[in-house]
Amino acid sequence: GILWKGIIEEYREFFPVTDMTPIVSLLEGNTPLIKAINLQKKLNIALDIYLKFDGANPTGSFKDRGMTLALSKAVESGSRAVICASTGNTSASAAAYASRAGIKAIVVIPEGKIAFGKLAQALIHGAHVLQIEGNFDEALRIVKKVVENYPITLVNSINPFRIEGQKSAAFEVCDQLGFVPKYHALPVGNAGNITAYWKGYKEYYNEGIIQSLPKMLGFQAAGAAPIVLGHPVERPETVATAIRIGNPASWKTAVEARDESNGRIDAVTDEEILSAYKLIASTEGIFCEPASAASVAGVIKLYKEGYFEKGEAVVCTLTGHGLKDPDTVFRVTDGAIKVKADFSEIRTIIEKIL
Ligand code: F0G
């Protein structure tokens, strides 16, 4: 058909749904895959870089892919409420899909360390927002305990339906490109998404739809890089608040994705993240959030190390929309030029710009 029906309907045979499953959807998925021609040129990089802009999903992040299935299955099982811990995007998505489903959402977030737009989303969709004096890892511990004691469905990525839904992004990349990229790069926080992509690629491969598999490249922020370090990080810190996580729930499956694909999980500094964030926006017209830029920052880093061969295709997932986190813009730009409402003043400035 011409109209996109959302990831469950579009890839139905890959999902554990039946005619009895009430599909809760905001028509997520089908996000742009954009060739980064300007960025390649600017950096003089001999690679074919594609940006999978999952910030173009209904709530502005890839979480919608998992949330459509998690909420559909929660409603199917008779659940009246969902709960999650979140650095922001999961809570925004859970709140939106719960309101669509007509059930309650409770979200537990770290105080102060969540981008303002994400908090606004959770609030406007009517979620019960609990800010804890603690980080994501502590929030996750608490919500796990809550669901042991109350009939509430957990919609963090330890809910297998989240991973199931998120694997659809790998399907889309193959369908949109018409071939399999040599590498797939993405930011790593709680490590659900790298797990999901790898599952998706493997399912397409096992069905005979694709004939090769990409190498998975995951990038953590240097101040929150437990998988790279090989041990949990007690106090994770990074400007990329979305991936400010010290003890990822899907740690083991992320390492499996890395090792089975012969890929790599590495760290990028906040400086590298912010530089890629600015570059993507200024060269390609794509505004992603800081955490998303870790994928591109990582590819730039590995390119400089001589990791790739000339001309190879690399897909970078941009996981969330930049509008969620306007504050960071004012850390990396000079802001607006203040000027009197007067033509002669404006004219002086215009002449300097041209
Ligand atoms: N990028 C963004 C924008 C995110 O919000 C997240 C995770 C990630 C990357 C990392 O994905 O956790 O699957 O490895 N955000 C979660 C949240 C933790 O609560 O919104 P991951």
Side-chain angles (χ1 to χ4, degrees), residues 5 36 73 79 134 139 141 174 194 204-205 208 234 292 334 338:
K5 300 191 190 80
K73 296 302 283 184
S79 178
R141 269 204 298 277
C174 298
I194 191 169
Y204 250 29
Y205 182 81
E234 189 81 32
S292 305
D334 297 331
K338 290 224 167 69

Side-chain angles (χ1 to χ4, degrees), residues 62-63 86-90 187-193 242-243 245 289 291 319:
F62 71 98
K63 305 288 180 179
S86 182
T87 56
N89 280 323
T90 300
V188 171
N190 211 25
N193 213 25
I243 53 171
I245 294 173
E289 63 175 288
T319 45

